[in-house]
PDB file of all heavy atoms in Angstrom:
ATOM      1  N   ILE C 144      16.471  18.033 -37.268  1.00 67.00           N
ATOM      2  CA  ILE C 144      15.975  17.996 -35.921  1.00 67.00           C
ATOM      3  C   ILE C 144      14.503  17.338 -35.980  1.00 67.00           C
ATOM      4  O   ILE C 144      14.174  16.509 -35.113  1.00 67.00           O
ATOM      5  CB  ILE C 144      15.944  19.293 -35.225  1.00 67.00           C
ATOM      6  CG1 ILE C 144      17.356  19.773 -35.010  1.00 67.00           C
ATOM      7  CG2 ILE C 144      15.147  19.233 -33.891  1.00 67.00           C
ATOM      8  CD1 ILE C 144      17.474  21.209 -34.532  1.00 67.00           C
ATOM      9  N   LEU C 145      13.721  17.830 -36.844  1.00 65.00           N
ATOM     10  CA  LEU C 145      12.304  17.219 -37.100  1.00 65.00           C
ATOM     11  C   LEU C 145      12.311  15.825 -37.341  1.00 65.00           C
ATOM     12  O   LEU C 145      11.628  15.031 -36.831  1.00 65.00           O
ATOM     13  CB  LEU C 145      11.586  18.063 -38.143  1.00 65.00           C
ATOM     14  CG  LEU C 145      10.133  17.666 -38.320  1.00 65.00           C
ATOM     15  CD1 LEU C 145       9.348  17.872 -37.138  1.00 65.00           C
ATOM     16  CD2 LEU C 145       9.529  18.441 -39.506  1.00 65.00           C
ATOM     17  N   VAL C 146      13.262  15.488 -38.264  1.00 62.00           N
ATOM     18  CA  VAL C 146      13.340  13.973 -38.687  1.00 62.00           C
ATOM     19  C   VAL C 146      13.824  13.156 -37.411  1.00 62.00           C
ATOM     20  O   VAL C 146      13.215  12.104 -37.237  1.00 62.00           O
ATOM     21  CB  VAL C 146      14.324  13.754 -39.811  1.00 62.00           C
ATOM     22  CG1 VAL C 146      14.633  12.221 -40.025  1.00 62.00           C
ATOM     23  CG2 VAL C 146      13.827  14.404 -41.051  1.00 62.00           C
ATOM     24  N   VAL C 147      14.741  13.691 -36.587  1.00 60.00           N
ATOM     25  CA  VAL C 147      15.126  12.926 -35.435  1.00 60.00           C
ATOM     26  C   VAL C 147      14.011  12.732 -34.460  1.00 60.00           C
ATOM     27  O   VAL C 147      13.820  11.660 -33.895  1.00 60.00           O
ATOM     28  CB  VAL C 147      16.340  13.639 -34.823  1.00 60.00           C
ATOM     29  CG1 VAL C 147      16.710  13.100 -33.432  1.00 60.00           C
ATOM     30  CG2 VAL C 147      17.653  13.537 -35.641  1.00 60.00           C
ATOM     31  N   ILE C 148      13.246  13.852 -34.295  1.00 63.00           N
ATOM     32  CA  ILE C 148      12.085  13.844 -33.308  1.00 63.00           C
ATOM     33  C   ILE C 148      11.132  12.736 -33.772  1.00 63.00           C
ATOM     34  O   ILE C 148      10.591  12.053 -32.998  1.00 63.00           O
ATOM     35  CB  ILE C 148      11.600  15.185 -33.186  1.00 63.00           C
ATOM     36  CG1 ILE C 148      12.435  16.168 -32.451  1.00 63.00           C
ATOM     37  CG2 ILE C 148      10.179  15.167 -32.442  1.00 63.00           C
ATOM     38  CD1 ILE C 148      11.983  17.593 -32.461  1.00 63.00           C
ATOM     39  N   VAL C 149      10.805  12.761 -35.091  1.00 59.00           N
ATOM     40  CA  VAL C 149       9.855  11.860 -35.682  1.00 59.00           C
ATOM     41  C   VAL C 149      10.307  10.409 -35.386  1.00 59.00           C
ATOM     42  O   VAL C 149       9.523   9.574 -35.105  1.00 59.00           O
ATOM     43  CB  VAL C 149       9.571  12.132 -37.093  1.00 59.00           C
ATOM     44  CG1 VAL C 149       8.734  11.013 -37.790  1.00 59.00           C
ATOM     45  CG2 VAL C 149       8.836  13.461 -37.264  1.00 59.00           C
ATOM     46  N   VAL C 150      11.578  10.213 -35.741  1.00 54.00           N
ATOM     47  CA  VAL C 150      12.150   8.812 -35.493  1.00 54.00           C
ATOM     48  C   VAL C 150      12.003   8.418 -34.116  1.00 54.00           C
ATOM     49  O   VAL C 150      11.743   7.174 -33.879  1.00 54.00           O
ATOM     50  CB  VAL C 150      13.590   8.796 -36.128  1.00 54.00           C
ATOM     51  CG1 VAL C 150      14.328   7.548 -35.584  1.00 54.00           C
ATOM     52  CG2 VAL C 150      13.627   8.973 -37.568  1.00 54.00           C
ATOM     53  N   LEU C 151      12.299   9.259 -33.135  1.00 59.00           N
ATOM     54  CA  LEU C 151      12.210   8.896 -31.769  1.00 59.00           C
ATOM     55  C   LEU C 151      10.870   8.655 -31.311  1.00 59.00           C
ATOM     56  O   LEU C 151      10.522   7.678 -30.582  1.00 59.00           O
ATOM     57  CB  LEU C 151      12.871  10.094 -30.936  1.00 59.00           C
ATOM     58  CG  LEU C 151      14.315  10.289 -31.087  1.00 59.00           C
ATOM     59  CD1 LEU C 151      14.606  11.545 -30.182  1.00 59.00           C
ATOM     60  CD2 LEU C 151      15.084   9.071 -30.455  1.00 59.00           C
ATOM     61  N   ILE C 152       9.950   9.371 -31.851  1.00 57.00           N
ATOM     62  CA  ILE C 152       8.508   9.157 -31.506  1.00 57.00           C
ATOM     63  C   ILE C 152       7.971   7.806 -32.044  1.00 57.00           C
ATOM     64  O   ILE C 152       7.387   7.044 -31.300  1.00 57.00           O
ATOM     65  CB  ILE C 152       7.587  10.362 -32.027  1.00 57.00           C
ATOM     66  CG1 ILE C 152       7.885  11.619 -31.236  1.00 57.00           C
ATOM     67  CG2 ILE C 152       6.132   9.907 -31.976  1.00 57.00           C
ATOM     68  CD1 ILE C 152       7.070  12.888 -31.815  1.00 57.00           C
ATOM     69  N   VAL C 153       8.374   7.543 -33.396  1.00 53.00           N
ATOM     70  CA  VAL C 153       8.031   6.204 -33.859  1.00 53.00           C
ATOM     71  C   VAL C 153       8.604   5.102 -33.062  1.00 53.00           C
ATOM     72  O   VAL C 153       7.969   4.095 -32.889  1.00 53.00           O
ATOM     73  CB  VAL C 153       8.499   6.171 -35.361  1.00 53.00           C
ATOM     74  CG1 VAL C 153       8.303   4.880 -35.902  1.00 53.00           C
ATOM     75  CG2 VAL C 153       7.730   7.228 -36.174  1.00 53.00           C
ATOM     76  N   ALA C 154       9.819   5.269 -32.705  1.00 47.00           N
ATOM     77  CA  ALA C 154      10.614   4.226 -31.945  1.00 47.00           C
ATOM     78  C   ALA C 154       9.874   3.982 -30.537  1.00 47.00           C
ATOM     79  O   ALA C 154       9.702   2.810 -30.232  1.00 47.00           O
ATOM     80  CB  ALA C 154      12.103   4.573 -31.801  1.00 47.00           C
TER      81      ALA C 154
END
Side-chain angles (χ1 to χ4, degrees):
I144 293 174
L145 181 60
V146 170
V147 171
I148 291 174
V149 170
V150 170
L151 289 174
I152 291 174
V153 170

